[in-house]
Coordinates of all heavy atoms in Angstrom, one line a residue:
M16 N -25.1 -23.1 14.6 CA -23.8 -22.5 14.8 C -22.9 -22.6 13.6 O -22.1 -21.8 13.4 CB -23.1 -23.2 16.0 CG -23.6 -22.7 17.4 SD -23.2 -21.0 17.6 CE -24.1 -20.6 18.9
A17 N -23.0 -23.7 12.9 CA -22.1 -23.9 11.7 C -22.4 -22.9 10.6 O -21.5 -22.5 9.8 CB -22.2 -25.3 11.2
I18 N -23.6 -22.3 10.6 CA -24.0 -21.4 9.5 C -23.5 -20.0 9.9 O -23.2 -19.2 9.0 CB -25.5 -21.4 9.3 CG1 -25.9 -22.8 8.8 CG2 -25.9 -20.3 8.3 CD1 -27.4 -23.0 8.6
A19 N -23.4 -19.7 11.1 CA -23.0 -18.3 11.6 C -21.5 -18.0 11.3 O -21.2 -16.9 11.0 CB -23.2 -18.2 13.1
A20 N -20.6 -19.0 11.3 CA -19.2 -18.8 11.0 C -18.9 -18.2 9.6 O -18.2 -17.2 9.5 CB -18.4 -20.0 11.3
P21 N -19.5 -18.9 8.6 CA -19.2 -18.3 7.2 C -19.8 -16.9 7.1 O -19.2 -16.1 6.4 CB -19.9 -19.3 6.3 CG -19.9 -20.6 7.0 CD -20.1 -20.2 8.5
L22 N -20.9 -16.6 7.7 CA -21.5 -15.3 7.6 C -20.6 -14.3 8.2 O -20.3 -13.2 7.7 CB -22.9 -15.3 8.2 CG -23.6 -14.0 8.1 CD1 -23.9 -13.6 6.7 CD2 -24.9 -14.1 8.9
F23 N -20.1 -14.6 9.4 CA -19.2 -13.7 10.1 C -17.9 -13.5 9.3 O -17.4 -12.3 9.2 CB -18.8 -14.3 11.5 CG -17.8 -13.5 12.2 CD1 -18.0 -12.2 12.7 CD2 -16.5 -14.0 12.3 CE1 -17.0 -11.5 13.3 CE2 -15.5 -13.2 12.9 CZ -15.8 -12.0 13.4
I24 N -17.4 -14.5 8.7 CA -16.1 -14.4 7.9 C -16.4 -13.5 6.7 O -15.5 -12.7 6.4 CB -15.6 -15.8 7.6 CG1 -15.1 -16.5 8.8 CG2 -14.5 -15.7 6.5 CD1 -14.8 -18.0 8.6
D25 N -17.5 -13.7 6.1 CA -17.8 -12.8 4.9 C -18.0 -11.4 5.3 O -17.5 -10.5 4.6 CB -19.1 -13.3 4.2 CG -18.9 -14.6 3.5 OD1 -17.7 -15.0 3.2 OD2 -19.9 -15.3 3.2
Q26 N -18.6 -11.1 6.4 CA -18.8 -9.7 6.9 C -17.4 -9.1 7.3 O -17.2 -8.0 7.0 CB -19.8 -9.7 8.0 CG -21.2 -10.0 7.6 CD -22.1 -10.0 8.8 OE1 -21.7 -10.1 10.0 NE2 -23.4 -10.0 8.5
F27 N -16.6 -9.9 7.9 CA -15.3 -9.4 8.4 C -14.5 -9.1 7.1 O -13.8 -8.1 7.1 CB -14.6 -10.5 9.2 CG -13.3 -10.1 9.7 CD1 -13.2 -9.1 10.7 CD2 -12.1 -10.6 9.2 CE1 -11.9 -8.7 11.2 CE2 -10.9 -10.2 9.6 CZ -10.8 -9.3 10.6
R28 N -14.5 -10.0 6.2 CA -13.7 -9.8 4.9 C -14.2 -8.5 4.2 O -13.4 -7.7 3.7 CB -13.8 -11.0 4.0 CG -13.0 -10.8 2.7 CD -13.1 -12.0 1.9 NE -12.3 -11.8 0.7 CZ -12.5 -12.3 -0.5 NH1 -13.5 -13.2 -0.6 NH2 -11.8 -12.0 -1.5
Y29 N -15.5 -8.3 4.1 CA -16.1 -7.1 3.5 C -15.6 -5.9 4.2 O -15.2 -4.9 3.6 CB -17.6 -7.2 3.5 CG -18.2 -6.0 3.0 CD1 -18.3 -5.7 1.6 CD2 -18.8 -5.1 3.9 CE1 -18.9 -4.5 1.2 CE2 -19.4 -3.9 3.4 CZ -19.4 -3.7 2.1 OH -20.0 -2.5 1.6
V30 N -15.6 -5.8 5.5 CA -15.2 -4.7 6.3 C -13.7 -4.4 6.1 O -13.3 -3.3 5.9 CB -15.5 -4.8 7.8 CG1 -14.9 -3.7 8.6 CG2 -17.0 -4.8 8.0
V31 N -12.9 -5.4 6.1 CA -11.4 -5.3 5.9 C -11.2 -4.7 4.5 O -10.4 -3.8 4.3 CB -10.7 -6.6 6.2 CG1 -9.3 -6.5 5.7 CG2 -10.8 -7.0 7.7
E32 N -11.8 -5.3 3.5 CA -11.6 -4.8 2.1 C -12.1 -3.4 2.0 O -11.5 -2.6 1.2 CB -12.3 -5.8 1.1 CG -11.5 -7.1 1.0 CD -12.1 -8.0 -0.1 OE1 -13.1 -7.5 -0.8 OE2 -11.7 -9.1 -0.2
L33 N -13.2 -3.0 2.6 CA -13.7 -1.7 2.5 C -12.7 -0.7 3.2 O -12.5 0.4 2.6 CB -15.1 -1.6 3.2 CG -15.8 -0.2 3.1 CD1 -16.1 0.1 1.7 CD2 -17.0 -0.2 3.9
V34 N -12.2 -1.0 4.3 CA -11.2 -0.2 5.0 C -9.9 0.0 4.1 O -9.4 1.1 4.0 CB -10.9 -0.7 6.4 CG1 -9.7 0.0 7.0 CG2 -12.1 -0.6 7.3
L35 N -9.5 -1.1 3.6 CA -8.3 -1.1 2.7 C -8.6 -0.2 1.4 O -7.7 0.5 1.0 CB -7.8 -2.5 2.3 CG -7.2 -3.3 3.4 CD1 -6.9 -4.7 2.9 CD2 -5.9 -2.6 3.9
L36 N -9.8 -0.3 0.9 CA -10.1 0.5 -0.3 C -10.1 1.9 0.0 O -9.6 2.8 -0.7 CB -11.5 0.0 -0.8 CG -12.0 0.8 -2.0 CD1 -11.1 0.6 -3.2 CD2 -13.5 0.4 -2.3
V37 N -10.7 2.3 1.2 CA -10.7 3.7 1.6 C -9.3 4.2 1.8 O -9.0 5.3 1.3 CB -11.6 3.9 2.8 CG1 -11.4 5.3 3.4 CG2 -13.1 3.6 2.5
I38 N -8.5 3.5 2.4 CA -7.1 3.9 2.6 C -6.4 4.0 1.3 O -5.6 5.0 1.1 CB -6.4 2.9 3.6 CG1 -6.9 3.0 5.0 CG2 -4.9 3.2 3.6 CD1 -6.5 2.0 5.9
A39 N -6.6 3.1 0.4 CA -5.9 3.1 -0.9 C -6.4 4.3 -1.7 O -5.5 5.0 -2.3 CB -6.2 1.8 -1.7
L40 N -7.6 4.6 -1.7 CA -8.1 5.8 -2.4 C -7.6 7.1 -1.8 O -7.3 8.0 -2.6 CB -9.7 5.8 -2.4 CG -10.3 4.7 -3.3 CD1 -11.8 4.7 -3.1 CD2 -9.9 4.8 -4.7
I41 N -7.5 7.2 -0.5 CA -6.9 8.4 0.1 C -5.5 8.5 -0.3 O -5.1 9.6 -0.7 CB -7.1 8.3 1.6 CG1 -8.6 8.5 2.0 CG2 -6.3 9.4 2.3 CD1 -8.9 8.2 3.5
V42 N -4.7 7.5 -0.2 CA -3.3 7.5 -0.5 C -3.1 8.0 -2.0 O -2.3 8.9 -2.3 CB -2.6 6.2 -0.3 CG1 -1.2 6.1 -0.9 CG2 -2.5 6.0 1.2
Q43 N -3.8 7.3 -2.9 CA -3.7 7.6 -4.3 C -4.2 9.0 -4.6 O -3.7 9.7 -5.4 CB -4.5 6.6 -5.2 CG -3.8 5.2 -5.1 CD -4.7 4.1 -5.8 OE1 -5.6 4.5 -6.5 NE2 -4.4 2.9 -5.5
G44 N -5.3 9.4 -4.0 CA -5.9 10.8 -4.2 C -5.0 11.9 -3.8 O -4.8 12.9 -4.5
V45 N -4.4 11.7 -2.6 CA -3.5 12.7 -2.0 C -2.2 12.8 -2.9 O -1.8 13.9 -3.2 CB -3.1 12.4 -0.6 CG1 -1.9 13.2 -0.1 CG2 -4.3 12.6 0.3
A46 N -1.7 11.7 -3.3 CA -0.5 11.7 -4.2 C -0.9 12.4 -5.5 O 0.0 13.1 -6.1 CB -0.1 10.2 -4.4
L47 N -2.0 12.1 -6.1 CA -2.4 12.7 -7.4 C -2.6 14.2 -7.3 O -2.1 15.0 -8.1 CB -3.7 12.0 -7.9 CG -4.2 12.6 -9.3 CD1 -3.1 12.3 -10.4 CD2 -5.5 11.9 -9.6
I48 N -3.2 14.6 -6.2 CA -3.4 16.1 -6.0 C -2.1 16.8 -5.8 O -1.9 17.9 -6.3 CB -4.4 16.3 -4.9 CG1 -5.8 15.9 -5.3 CG2 -4.4 17.8 -4.4 CD1 -6.8 15.8 -4.2
H49 N -1.2 16.1 -5.0 CA 0.1 16.7 -4.8 C 0.9 16.8 -6.1 O 1.5 17.8 -6.3 CB 0.8 16.0 -3.7 CG 2.1 16.6 -3.3 ND1 3.3 16.4 -4.0 CD2 2.3 17.5 -2.3 CE1 4.2 17.2 -3.4 NE2 3.7 17.8 -2.3
A50 N 0.8 15.8 -6.9 CA 1.6 15.8 -8.2 C 1.0 16.9 -9.1 O 1.8 17.6 -9.8 CB 1.5 14.4 -8.8
I51 N -0.3 17.1 -9.1 CA -0.9 18.1 -10.0 C -0.5 19.5 -9.6 O -0.2 20.4 -10.4 CB -2.4 17.9 -10.0 CG1 -2.8 16.7 -10.7 CG2 -3.1 19.2 -10.6 CD1 -4.3 16.3 -10.6
T52 N -0.3 19.7 -8.3 CA -0.1 21.1 -7.8 C 1.4 21.5 -7.8 O 1.7 22.6 -7.4 CB -0.6 21.3 -6.4 OG1 0.0 20.3 -5.5 CG2 -2.1 21.1 -6.3
Q53 N 2.3 20.6 -8.1 CA 3.7 20.9 -8.1 C 4.2 21.5 -9.4 O 3.6 21.3 -10.5 CB 4.5 19.6 -7.8 CG 4.2 19.1 -6.4 CD 4.4 20.1 -5.3 OE1 5.5 20.7 -5.2 NE2 3.4 20.3 -4.5
R54 N 5.4 22.2 -9.4 CA 6.0 22.7 -10.6 C 6.5 21.6 -11.4 O 7.1 20.7 -10.9 CB 7.1 23.7 -10.2 CG 6.6 24.9 -9.5 CD 7.7 25.8 -9.0 NE 8.8 25.8 -10.0 CZ 9.9 26.4 -9.7 NH1 10.1 27.0 -8.5 NH2 10.9 26.4 -10.6
A55 N 6.4 21.7 -12.7 CA 6.9 20.7 -13.7 C 8.4 20.6 -13.7 O 9.0 19.5 -13.9 CB 6.3 20.9 -15.1
D56 N 9.1 21.7 -13.5 CA 10.5 21.7 -13.7 C 11.2 21.1 -12.4 O 12.4 20.8 -12.4 CB 11.1 23.1 -13.9 CG 10.7 24.1 -12.8 OD1 9.8 23.8 -12.0 OD2 11.3 25.2 -12.8
A57 N 10.5 20.9 -11.3 CA 11.1 20.4 -10.1 C 11.3 18.9 -10.2 O 12.2 18.3 -9.6 CB 10.2 20.7 -8.9
F58 N 10.5 18.2 -11.0 CA 10.6 16.7 -11.1 C 11.9 16.3 -11.7 O 12.6 15.4 -11.1 CB 9.4 16.2 -11.9 CG 8.1 16.2 -11.1 CD1 7.3 17.3 -11.0 CD2 7.7 15.1 -10.4 CE1 6.1 17.4 -10.3 CE2 6.5 15.1 -9.6 CZ 5.8 16.2 -9.6
P59 N 12.3 16.8 -12.9 CA 13.6 16.4 -13.4 C 14.8 16.9 -12.5 O 15.9 16.2 -12.4 CB 13.7 17.1 -14.7 CG 12.4 17.4 -15.1 CD 11.6 17.6 -13.8
A60 N 14.6 17.9 -11.7 CA 15.7 18.4 -10.8 C 16.0 17.4 -9.7 O 17.1 17.4 -9.2 CB 15.3 19.8 -10.2
I61 N 15.0 16.6 -9.3 CA 15.3 15.6 -8.2 C 15.6 14.3 -8.8 O 15.8 13.3 -8.1 CB 14.1 15.5 -7.2 CG1 12.8 15.1 -7.9 CG2 14.0 16.9 -6.5 CD1 11.8 14.7 -6.9
G62 N 15.6 14.2 -10.2 CA 16.0 12.9 -10.8 C 14.9 11.8 -10.8 O 15.2 10.7 -10.7
T63 N 13.7 12.2 -11.0 CA 12.6 11.3 -11.1 C 11.9 11.4 -12.4 O 12.3 12.2 -13.3 CB 11.6 11.5 -9.9 OG1 10.6 10.5 -9.9 CG2 11.0 12.9 -10.0
L64 N 10.8 10.7 -12.6 CA 10.0 10.8 -13.8 C 9.4 12.2 -13.9 O 9.2 12.9 -12.9 CB 8.8 9.8 -13.7 CG 9.2 8.3 -13.7 CD1 7.9 7.5 -13.5 CD2 9.8 7.9 -15.0
P65 N 9.1 12.6 -15.1 CA 8.5 13.9 -15.3 C 7.1 14.0 -14.7 O 6.5 13.0 -14.3 CB 8.3 14.1 -16.8 CG 9.2 13.0 -17.4 CD 9.4 12.0 -16.4
K66 N 6.6 15.2 -14.5 CA 5.3 15.5 -13.8 C 4.2 14.7 -14.6 O 3.3 14.1 -13.9 CB 5.1 17.0 -13.8 CG 3.7 17.3 -13.2 CD 3.5 18.8 -13.1 CE 2.2 19.2 -12.5 NZ 2.0 20.6 -12.3
G67 N 4.2 14.8 -15.9 CA 3.1 14.2 -16.7 C 3.1 12.7 -16.5 O 2.0 12.1 -16.4
A68 N 4.2 12.1 -16.3 CA 4.3 10.6 -16.1 C 3.7 10.3 -14.8 O 3.0 9.3 -14.6 CB 5.7 10.1 -16.3
W69 N 4.1 11.0 -13.7 CA 3.5 10.7 -12.4 C 2.0 10.9 -12.4 O 1.3 10.1 -11.8 CB 4.2 11.6 -11.3 CG 5.5 11.0 -10.9 CD1 6.7 11.4 -11.1 CD2 5.6 9.8 -10.1 NE1 7.7 10.6 -10.5 CE2 7.0 9.6 -9.9 CE3 4.7 8.8 -9.6 CZ2 7.5 8.5 -9.1 CZ3 5.2 7.8 -8.9 CH2 6.6 7.6 -8.7
I70 N 1.6 12.0 -13.0 CA 0.1 12.2 -13.0 C -0.6 11.1 -13.8 O -1.6 10.6 -13.3 CB -0.2 13.6 -13.6 CG1 0.3 14.7 -12.7 CG2 -1.7 13.8 -13.9 CD1 0.2 16.1 -13.3
A71 N 0.0 10.7 -14.9 CA -0.7 9.6 -15.6 C -0.7 8.3 -14.8 O -1.7 7.6 -14.8 CB 0.1 9.4 -17.0
I72 N 0.4 7.9 -14.2 CA 0.5 6.7 -13.4 C -0.5 6.8 -12.3 O -1.3 5.8 -12.1 CB 1.9 6.5 -12.9 CG1 2.9 6.2 -14.0 CG2 1.9 5.4 -11.8 CD1 4.3 6.2 -13.6
L73 N -0.5 7.8 -11.5 CA -1.4 7.9 -10.4 C -2.9 8.0 -10.8 O -3.7 7.4 -10.1 CB -1.0 9.2 -9.5 CG 0.4 9.1 -8.9 CD1 0.8 10.4 -8.3 CD2 0.4 8.0 -7.8
A74 N -3.2 8.7 -11.9 CA -4.6 8.8 -12.3 C -5.1 7.5 -12.8 O -6.2 7.1 -12.5 CB -4.7 9.9 -13.4
V75 N -4.3 6.8 -13.6 CA -4.7 5.5 -14.1 C -4.9 4.5 -12.9 O -5.9 3.8 -12.9 CB -3.7 4.9 -15.1 CG1 -4.0 3.5 -15.4 CG2 -3.8 5.7 -16.4
C76 N -4.0 4.5 -12.0 CA -4.2 3.6 -10.9 C -5.4 4.0 -10.0 O -6.1 3.1 -9.6 CB -2.9 3.7 -10.0 SG -1.5 2.9 -10.7
L77 N -5.7 5.2 -9.8 CA -6.9 5.7 -9.1 C -8.1 5.3 -9.8 O -9.1 4.7 -9.2 CB -6.8 7.2 -8.9 CG -8.0 7.8 -8.1 CD1 -7.9 7.2 -6.6 CD2 -7.9 9.3 -8.1
V78 N -8.2 5.5 -11.1 CA -9.4 5.1 -11.9 C -9.6 3.6 -11.9 O -10.7 3.1 -11.7 CB -9.3 5.6 -13.3 CG1 -10.3 5.0 -14.2 CG2 -9.4 7.1 -13.4
L79 N -8.5 2.8 -12.0 CA -8.7 1.3 -12.0 C -9.1 0.8 -10.6 O -9.9 -0.1 -10.5 CB -7.4 0.7 -12.4 CG -7.0 0.8 -13.9 CD1 -5.7 0.2 -14.2 CD2 -8.1 0.2 -14.8
T80 N -8.7 1.5 -9.6 CA -9.1 1.1 -8.2 C -10.6 1.5 -8.0 O -11.3 0.7 -7.5 CB -8.2 1.8 -7.2 OG1 -6.9 1.4 -7.4 CG2 -8.6 1.4 -5.8
L81 N -11.0 2.6 -8.6 CA -12.4 3.1 -8.5 C -13.3 2.2 -9.3 O -14.5 2.1 -9.0 CB -12.5 4.5 -8.9 CG -12.1 5.6 -7.8 CD1 -12.1 7.0 -8.4 CD2 -13.1 5.5 -6.6
L82 N -12.9 1.7 -10.4 CA -13.7 1.0 -11.3 C -14.1 -0.4 -10.8 O -14.9 -1.1 -11.5 CB -13.1 0.8 -12.7 CG -13.1 2.1 -13.6 CD1 -12.4 1.8 -14.9 CD2 -14.5 2.6 -13.8
G83 N -13.6 -0.8 -9.7 CA -14.0 -2.0 -9.1 C -13.1 -3.2 -9.2 O -13.4 -4.3 -8.9
F84 N -11.8 -2.9 -9.7 CA -10.9 -4.0 -9.7 C -10.5 -4.4 -8.3 O -10.1 -5.5 -8.0 CB -9.6 -3.6 -10.5 CG -9.8 -3.6 -11.9 CD1 -10.1 -2.5 -12.7 CD2 -9.8 -4.8 -12.6 CE1 -10.2 -2.5 -14.0 CE2 -10.0 -4.9 -14.0 CZ -10.2 -3.7 -14.7
G85 N -10.7 -3.5 -7.3 CA -10.5 -3.8 -5.9 C -9.1 -3.5 -5.5 O -8.1 -3.4 -6.3
V86 N -8.9 -3.4 -4.2 CA -7.6 -3.0 -3.6 C -6.7 -4.2 -3.6 O -5.5 -4.1 -3.6 CB -7.8 -2.4 -2.3 CG1 -8.3 -3.4 -1.2 CG2 -6.6 -1.7 -1.8
L87 N -7.3 -5.4 -3.6 CA -6.5 -6.6 -3.5 C -6.2 -7.2 -4.9 O -5.5 -8.3 -5.0 CB -7.2 -7.7 -2.6 CG -7.3 -7.3 -1.2 CD1 -8.0 -8.3 -0.4 CD2 -6.0 -7.0 -0.5
S88 N -6.6 -6.6 -5.9 CA -6.2 -7.0 -7.3 C -4.8 -6.5 -7.6 O -4.2 -5.7 -6.9 CB -7.2 -6.5 -8.3 OG -7.0 -5.1 -8.5
I89 N -4.3 -6.9 -8.7 CA -2.9 -6.4 -9.1 C -2.9 -4.9 -9.3 O -2.0 -4.2 -9.0 CB -2.4 -7.2 -10.3 CG1 -0.9 -6.9 -10.6 CG2 -3.2 -7.0 -11.5 CD1 0.0 -7.5 -9.5
F90 N -4.0 -4.4 -9.9 CA -4.1 -3.0 -10.2 C -4.2 -2.2 -8.9 O -3.6 -1.1 -8.8 CB -5.3 -2.7 -11.1 CG -5.2 -3.3 -12.4 CD1 -6.1 -4.3 -12.8 CD2 -4.2 -3.0 -13.3 CE1 -6.1 -4.9 -14.0 CE2 -4.2 -3.5 -14.6 CZ -5.1 -4.5 -14.9
G91 N -4.9 -2.7 -7.9 CA -5.0 -2.0 -6.6 C -3.7 -2.0 -5.9 O -3.3 -1.0 -5.3
L92 N -3.0 -3.1 -5.9 CA -1.7 -3.2 -5.3 C -0.6 -2.3 -5.9 O 0.2 -1.6 -5.3 CB -1.2 -4.6 -5.2 CG -2.1 -5.6 -4.4 CD1 -1.6 -7.0 -4.5 CD2 -2.1 -5.1 -2.9
V93 N -0.7 -2.3 -7.3 CA 0.3 -1.4 -8.0 C -0.1 0.1 -7.7 O 0.8 0.9 -7.5 CB 0.2 -1.7 -9.5 CG1 0.9 -0.6 -10.3 CG2 0.9 -3.0 -9.8
G94 N -1.4 0.4 -7.6 CA -1.8 1.7 -7.3 C -1.4 2.2 -5.9 O -0.9 3.3 -5.7
I95 N -1.5 1.3 -4.9 CA -1.0 1.6 -3.6 C 0.5 1.8 -3.6 O 1.0 2.8 -3.0 CB -1.4 0.5 -2.6 CG1 -2.9 0.5 -2.4 CG2 -0.7 0.7 -1.2 CD1 -3.4 -0.7 -1.6
A96 N 1.2 1.0 -4.3 CA 2.7 1.1 -4.4 C 3.1 2.4 -5.0 O 4.0 3.1 -4.5 CB 3.3 -0.1 -5.1
A97 N 2.4 2.7 -6.1 CA 2.7 4.0 -6.8 C 2.5 5.2 -5.9 O 3.3 6.1 -5.9 CB 2.0 4.1 -8.1
G98 N 1.3 5.2 -5.3 CA 1.0 6.3 -4.4 C 2.0 6.4 -3.2 O 2.4 7.5 -2.9
L99 N 2.4 5.3 -2.6 CA 3.3 5.4 -1.5 C 4.7 5.8 -2.0 O 5.4 6.5 -1.3 CB 3.3 4.0 -0.8 CG 2.1 3.7 0.0 CD1 2.2 2.3 0.6 CD2 1.9 4.7 1.1
I100 N 5.1 5.3 -3.2 CA 6.4 5.7 -3.7 C 6.4 7.2 -3.9 O 7.4 7.9 -3.6 CB 6.8 4.9 -5.0 CG1 7.1 3.5 -4.6 CG2 7.9 5.6 -5.7 CD1 7.2 2.6 -5.8
Y101 N 5.4 7.7 -4.5 CA 5.3 9.1 -4.7 C 5.3 9.9 -3.4 O 6.1 10.8 -3.3 CB 4.1 9.5 -5.5 CG 4.0 11.0 -5.8 CD1 4.7 11.5 -6.9 CD2 3.3 11.9 -4.9 CE1 4.7 12.9 -7.1 CE2 3.3 13.2 -5.1 CZ 4.0 13.7 -6.2 OH 4.0 15.1 -6.4
L102 N 4.5 9.5 -2.5 CA 4.4 10.3 -1.2 C 5.7 10.1 -0.4 O 6.1 11.1 0.3 CB 3.2 9.8 -0.4 CG 1.8 10.2 -1.0 CD1 0.7 9.5 -0.1 CD2 1.7 11.7 -1.0
L103 N 6.3 9.0 -0.4 CA 7.4 8.8 0.5 C 8.8 9.1 -0.1 O 9.8 9.3 0.6 CB 7.4 7.3 1.0 CG 6.2 6.9 1.9 CD1 6.3 5.4 2.2 CD2 6.2 7.8 3.1
D104 N 8.8 9.2 -1.4 CA 10.1 9.5 -2.1 C 10.1 10.8 -2.9 O 10.9 11.7 -2.6 CB 10.5 8.3 -3.0 CG 11.9 8.5 -3.6 OD1 12.8 9.0 -2.9 OD2 12.0 8.1 -4.8
V105 N 9.2 10.9 -3.8 CA 9.1 12.0 -4.7 C 8.7 13.3 -3.9 O 9.3 14.4 -4.1 CB 8.2 11.8 -5.9 CG1 8.1 13.0 -6.8 CG2 8.8 10.6 -6.7
R106 N 7.7 13.2 -3.1 CA 7.2 14.4 -2.4 C 8.3 14.9 -1.5 O 8.4 16.1 -1.3 CB 5.9 14.0 -1.6 CG 5.3 15.2 -0.8 CD 4.1 14.8 -0.1 NE 4.4 13.8 1.0 CZ 4.6 14.2 2.2 NH1 4.4 15.4 2.6 NH2 4.9 13.2 3.1
V107 N 9.0 14.0 -0.8 CA 10.1 14.4 0.1 C 11.2 15.1 -0.7 O 11.7 16.2 -0.3 CB 10.6 13.3 0.9 CG1 11.8 13.7 1.7 CG2 9.5 12.7 1.8
G108 N 11.5 14.6 -1.9 CA 12.5 15.2 -2.7 C 12.1 16.6 -3.2 O 12.8 17.6 -3.3
L109 N 10.8 16.7 -3.6 CA 10.3 18.0 -4.0 C 10.3 19.0 -2.9 O 10.6 20.2 -3.0 CB 8.9 17.8 -4.6 CG 8.7 17.1 -5.9 CD1 7.3 16.8 -6.2 CD2 9.4 17.8 -7.0
R110 N 9.9 18.6 -1.7 CA 10.0 19.4 -0.5 C 11.4 19.9 -0.2 O 11.6 21.1 0.1 CB 9.3 18.8 0.7 CG 9.2 19.7 1.9 CD 8.6 19.1 3.1 NE 7.2 18.8 2.8 CZ 6.5 18.0 3.6 NH1 7.0 17.5 4.7 NH2 5.2 17.8 3.4
D111 N 12.3 19.0 -0.3 CA 13.7 19.4 -0.1 C 14.2 20.4 -1.1 O 14.9 21.3 -0.7 CB 14.7 18.2 -0.1 CG 14.6 17.3 1.1 OD1 14.1 17.8 2.1 OD2 15.0 16.1 1.0
L112 N 13.8 20.2 -2.3 CA 14.2 21.1 -3.4 C 13.5 22.5 -3.2 O 14.2 23.5 -3.4 CB 13.8 20.5 -4.7 CG 14.2 21.3 -6.0 CD1 15.7 21.3 -6.1 CD2 13.5 20.8 -7.2
T113 N 12.3 22.6 -2.8 CA 11.6 23.8 -2.8 C 11.8 24.7 -1.6 O 12.0 25.9 -1.7 CB 10.1 23.6 -3.0 OG1 9.6 22.7 -2.0 CG2 9.7 23.1 -4.4
D114 N 11.8 24.1 -0.4 CA 12.0 24.9 0.8 C 13.1 24.4 1.7 O 13.5 25.1 2.6 CB 10.7 25.0 1.6 CG 10.2 23.6 2.2 OD1 11.0 22.6 2.0 OD2 9.2 23.6 2.8
G115 N 13.7 23.3 1.4 CA 14.9 22.9 2.1 C 14.7 22.4 3.5 O 15.6 22.2 4.3
K116 N 13.4 22.2 3.9 CA 13.1 21.8 5.3 C 13.1 20.3 5.5 O 13.1 19.8 6.6 CB 11.8 22.4 5.8 CG 11.9 23.9 5.9 CD 10.6 24.4 6.5 CE 10.7 25.9 6.6 NZ 9.4 26.5 7.0
G117 N 13.0 19.5 4.4 CA 13.1 18.1 4.5 C 11.7 17.5 4.9 O 10.7 18.1 4.6
F118 N 11.7 16.3 5.5 CA 10.5 15.6 5.8 C 9.6 16.3 6.8 O 8.4 16.3 6.6 CB 10.9 14.2 6.3 CG 9.7 13.3 6.5 CD1 9.1 12.8 5.4 CD2 9.2 13.0 7.7 CE1 8.0 11.9 5.5 CE2 8.1 12.2 7.9 CZ 7.5 11.6 6.7
W119 N 10.1 16.9 7.8 CA 9.3 17.5 8.8 C 9.2 19.0 8.5 O 8.6 19.8 8.8 CB 9.9 17.3 10.2 CG 10.0 15.8 10.5 CD1 11.2 15.1 10.5 CD2 9.0 14.9 10.7 NE1 10.9 13.8 10.8 CE2 9.6 13.6 10.9 CE3 7.6 15.0 10.9 CZ2 8.8 12.5 11.2 CZ3 6.9 13.8 11.1 CH2 7.5 12.6 11.3

């Protein structure tokens, strides 16, 4: 019985890290694709970083997460934060600017 517990914990940790990695890659990928498809002049209009800067930040974070640094490393956490900031702040501002409908 004593040997089964560490094995279960290792498997559980692997599954949790895999789920977090998939979620992180989805968040970062969606943010990067959205940033690429937006107009460049809209970014300064909402008072944020230029389009090129957002694309560079999101692409570097996505690549570092894919290269195996992992989602729980500092690069993975910064990547998740950058993706969420883009999706929850910049994307909403761009949507307000372009069609005026807001979040929904």
Side-chain angles (χ1 to χ4, degrees):
M16 282 294 166
I18 297 174
L22 182 63
F23 172 75
I24 292 171
D25 289 339
Q26 290 175 346
F27 181 74
R28 180 178 180 209
Y29 174 76
V30 170
V31 169
E32 286 183 6
L33 183 65
V34 168
L35 290 175
L36 178 65
V37 168
I38 291 171
L40 291 176
I41 290 172
V42 166
Q43 293 173 15
V45 167
L47 180 61
I48 290 170
H49 188 272
I51 291 171
T52 60
Q53 297 305 304
R54 294 176 34 189
D56 60 344
F58 287 85
I61 62 169
T63 186
L64 295 172
K66 178 180 180 175
W69 275 112
I70 291 174
I72 291 169
L73 294 169
V75 167
C76 290
L77 182 66
V78 168
L79 289 176
T80 303
L81 278 173
L82 284 179
F84 284 100
V86 71
L87 296 178
S88 71
I89 189 70
F90 297 115
L92 295 175
V93 168
I95 292 172
L99 288 175
I100 288 170
Y101 180 85
L102 290 175
L103 297 175
D104 185 36
V105 177
R106 183 179 64 98
V107 174
L109 291 171
R110 184 180 292 169
D111 285 341
L112 181 70
T113 56
D114 65 3
K116 292 183 182 176
F118 187 74
W119 304 105

